[in-house]
């Protein structure tokens, strides 16, 4: 057994033979064709027209498979093919070098790819693959070679140096168990498409030609590829895959079905995630959005806090991958049990009652502003919302909003693009619940953090296992605070959700719907079981 590692794009297990996908080399004559530059330009124009038609067809296909915002890459390709710089470069090469259209297009693609590859911005760097992809398409249309076919009949794990978005979306999903590439970044549209198409994949793998045809296990959870797996490993992974499939098939009948009760009441069911890696799970489980992105995990990964650009890249990727569905980013909620090596918070006698959540951020304004700027910039790429944790007073909320406004103005002055951003408060202190009317005047939504709300209402340390028998999240006091928050929020036009663990409690779902809760955000795997419960409820019947 050989083991290789890479960056996982999506969790999940794929088992099957490895097949190499090698792009056909574009073979065309280097010799002058004997045509005039104007005639070569006309050939180029015809091939470009054909390419634009193919891209429109690919857009339609992608729209069906991965939704509008992910399909948009093919619209971008069309724009690139009409870009003046691109066209000027092809024409210039034709006129000055008297060469063929194939040569001029290839040189243009290579030159522009090199320019993109040199850029500082990771997003722009990833565009290098796109410009080469469109150029290859035009050349194939010039030579009449057409689109490349996949070289195998049976389902397999594809191994390639790199994969372009158009290749990823063209591959018959039934024949693609997963893929492994040497190059490619998690920023690329290929990665976004793979996540959305729910294909386990690893990038950055040191691939080896000798693997062709070998049986392999791609473990997207650990980022490992096992080539010629040992029998015990194969058995364990097969069992894991079987378990996953059984669970999936039981619930998959509920995908794309609305979260509507028998009497027609509806509620949003979103997913809670801790990282970009979880987005695939949210989509796989058909969550209607991300109701809680626990951003602090980003800060807990390394010795240094993530800078604005690193955070922006993560938030943008989540927003893009969620393809227009709401993504609620909770601002840094460090403190108590969540300590980050990159900040020394010093000793606190009662850390659960200490400098946590919004308090920490208001004490570390520069760190907070970096995050707010990253969130504001990401708001262009989807339906992003920001939410402040551990708020206990209107003053804290206003301070946070003031900093948000400051960041918005700074970014606007620097010419950055900004989208719409909903602003919300996490209601997880009894104080916030009790002043919900005043808080609601300041925001667009509330999300109830019932884990902390229970801890602070019942004065029970949620970390202390000895207190487990006393930790009653259904305590009437907690339920009353939830009801009060929903009513206050609605009085002021806010939508109200629950993102604490109680939201996934199937025995309480009916109670929450009767209270008028608008959204329940739960772990990805809890989305479909909750949908099943909701679809079996009848709120018009008296509660028994
Ligand atoms: C909560 O407190 O309910 C919550 C969702 O936040 P966390 O569990 O991350 O504190
Ligand atoms: Mg909390």
């Amino acid at each position: 057994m050989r083991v290789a590692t890479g960056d996982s794009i999506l969790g999940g297990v794929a088992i099957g033979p490895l097949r190499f996908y090698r792009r056909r080399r574009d073979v065309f004559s280097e010799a002058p064709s004997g045509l005039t530059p104007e005639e070569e330009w006309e050939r180029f124009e015809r091939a470009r027209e054909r390419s634009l038609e193919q891209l429109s067809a690919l857009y339609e296909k992608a729209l069906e498979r991965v939704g509008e915002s992910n399909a948009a890459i093919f619209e971008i390709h069309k724009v690139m093919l009409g870009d003046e710089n691109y066209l000027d470069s092809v024409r210039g090469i034709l006129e000055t070098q008297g060469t063929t259209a194939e040569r001029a297009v290839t040189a243009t693609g290579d030159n522009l790819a090199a320019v993109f590859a040199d850029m500082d911005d990771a997003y722009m760097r990833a565009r290098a693959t796109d410009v080469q992809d469109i150029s290859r398409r035009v050349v194939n249309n010039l030579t009449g070679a057409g689109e490349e076919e996949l070289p195998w009949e049976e389902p397999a794990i594809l191994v390639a140096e790199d994969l372009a978005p158009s290749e990823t979306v063209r591959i018959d999903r039934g024949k693609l168990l997963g893929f492994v590439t040497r190059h490619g970044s998690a920023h690329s549209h290929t990665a976004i498409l793979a996540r959305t198409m729910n294909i386990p994949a690893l990038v950055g793998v040191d691939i080896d030609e000798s693997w062709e045809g070998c049986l392999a296990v791609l473990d997207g959870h650990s980022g490992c590829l096992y080539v010629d797996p040992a029998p015990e490993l194969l058995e364990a992974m097969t069992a894991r895959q079987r378990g996953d499939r059984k669970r999936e098939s039981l619930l998959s009948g509920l995908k794309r079905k609305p979260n509507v009760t028998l009497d027609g009441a509806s509620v949003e069911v979103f997913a809670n995630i801790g990282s970009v890696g979880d987005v695939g799970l949210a989509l796989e489980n058909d969550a209607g959005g991300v109701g809680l992105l626990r951003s602090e995990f980003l800060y807990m990964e390394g010795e240094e806090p993530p800078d604005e650009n690193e955070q922006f890249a993560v938030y943008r990727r989540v927003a893009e991958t969620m393809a227009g569905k709401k993504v609620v980013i909770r601002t840094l909620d460090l403190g108590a049990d969540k300590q980050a090596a990159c900040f020394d918070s010093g000793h606190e006698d009662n850390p659960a009652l200490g400098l946590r959540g919004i308090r920490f951020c208001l004490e570390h304004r520069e760190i907070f502003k970096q995050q707010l700027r990253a969130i504001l910039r990401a708001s262009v790429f989807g339906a992003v919302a920001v939410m402040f944790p551990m708020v206990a007073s209107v003053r804290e909320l206003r301070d946070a909003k003031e900093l948000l406004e400051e960041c918005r103005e700074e970014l606007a002055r620097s010419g950055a693009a900004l989208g719409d951003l909903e602003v919300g408060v996490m209601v997880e202190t009894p104080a916030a619940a009790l002043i919900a009317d005043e808080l609601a005047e300041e925001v667009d939504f509330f999300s109830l953090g019932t884990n902390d709300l229970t801890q602070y209402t019942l004065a029970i340390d949620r970390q202390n296992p000895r207190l487990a028998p006393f930790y009653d999240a259904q305590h009437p006091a907690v339920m009353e605070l939830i009801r009060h928050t929903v009513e206050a929020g609605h009085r002021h036009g806010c939508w109200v959700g629950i993102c604490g663990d109680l939201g996934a409690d199937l025995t309480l779902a009916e109670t929450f719907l009767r209270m008028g809760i608008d959204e329940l955000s739960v772990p990805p795997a809890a989305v479909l079981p909750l949908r099943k419960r909701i679809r079996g409820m009848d709120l018009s019947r008296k509660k028994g």
Side-chain angles (χ1 to χ4, degrees), residues 2 17 98 244-245 278 405 477 539:
R2 285 162 287 172
D244 286 352
R245 284 196 185 140
D278 296 343
E405 223 27 63
L539 301 183

Side-chain angles (χ1 to χ4, degrees), residues 36-328:
T36 64
E38 204 39 55
E39 285 165 333
E40 287 290 352
W41 175 258
E42 278 164 23
R43 285 185 65 231
F44 165 71
E45 271 298 0
R46 281 195 296 277
R48 193 172 78 90
E49 280 306 314
R50 175 88 195 98
S51 304
L52 289 171
E53 284 163 20
Q54 290 167 346
L55 287 168
S56 296
L58 272 173
Y59 174 79
E60 293 302 324
K61 193 167 183 172
L63 198 61
E64 229 172 72
R65 287 185 168 191
V66 291
E68 193 174 345
S69 119
N70 288 305
I73 181 61
F74 300 111
E75 293 286 71
I76 296 172
H77 278 196
K78 283 169 73 177
V79 172
M80 285 171 119
L81 252 185
D83 180 70
E84 272 183 28
N85 292 329
Y86 191 92
L87 300 181
D88 286 351
S89 164
V90 174
R91 192 184 275 281
I93 294 172
L94 287 176
E95 283 172 0
T96 56
Q97 300 180 23
T99 181
T100 59
E102 286 87 336
R103 190 75 235 108
V105 170
T106 305
T108 297
D110 290 347
N111 294 342
L112 289 177
V115 171
F116 280 125
D118 244 11
M119 290 187 174
D120 286 339
D121 185 299
Y123 182 80
M124 294 310 287
R125 274 204 304 277
R127 300 288 72 77
T129 319
D130 295 321
V131 76
Q132 277 179 320
D133 193 18
I134 57 166
S135 303
R136 221 170 16 247
R137 176 174 301 283
V138 177
V139 169
N140 282 343
N141 284 320
L142 279 164
T143 58
E147 296 196 291
E148 280 168 280
E149 293 301 325
L150 281 181
W152 65 81
E153 289 303 316
E154 296 306 314
I157 299 171
L158 177 149
V159 188
E161 287 291 322
D162 198 3
L163 266 185
S166 61
E167 289 165 321
T168 315
V169 82
R170 256 188 329 113
I171 296 170
D172 177 356
R173 182 68 186 89
K175 287 188 191 160
L176 184 66
L177 302 172
F179 70 77
V180 175
T181 62
R182 186 192 301 280
H183 305 293
S185 82
H187 293 292
S188 70
H189 279 98
T190 298
I192 293 172
L193 290 172
R195 264 183 233 118
T196 317
M197 289 162 77
N198 202 10
I199 303 170
L202 303 180
V203 296
V205 177
D206 189 12
I207 59 177
D208 181 336
E209 299 275 321
S210 70
W211 295 346
E212 175 72 62
C214 294
L215 180 67
V217 173
L218 188 170
D219 181 2
H221 302 290
S222 65
C224 287
L225 179 77
Y226 303 95
V227 182
D228 292 325
E232 319 77 70
L233 183 113
L234 186 59
E235 205 179 307
M237 286 297 190
T238 309
R240 179 162 190 183
Q241 204 184 34
R242 233 189 345 256
D244 286 352
R245 284 196 185 140
K246 194 163 163 207
R247 236 186 341 272
E248 275 167 25
S249 76
L250 277 176
L251 292 167
S252 65
L254 291 169
K255 287 192 185 171
R256 309 273 165 259
K257 296 249 167 81
N259 305 302
V260 179
T261 63
L262 293 170
D263 57 314
S266 67
V267 63
E268 299 280 8
V269 180
F270 288 0
N272 294 345
I273 63 170
S275 69
V276 178
D278 296 343
V279 177
L281 288 177
L283 289 169
E284 199 176 309
N285 288 284
D286 201 26
V290 169
L292 171 64
L293 168 59
R294 288 181 158 101
S295 69
E296 55 279 4
F297 290 113
L298 272 177
Y299 292 76
M300 291 157 76
E301 283 166 6
E303 296 290 307
E304 294 294 323
D307 66 21
E308 179 184 323
N309 281 336
E310 282 162 338
Q311 289 190 61
F312 164 62
V314 169
Y315 304 147
R316 187 199 64 211
R317 193 148 16 114
V318 176
E320 275 183 342
T321 311
M322 288 307 291
K325 293 177 175 158
K326 202 188 293 284
V327 174
V328 180

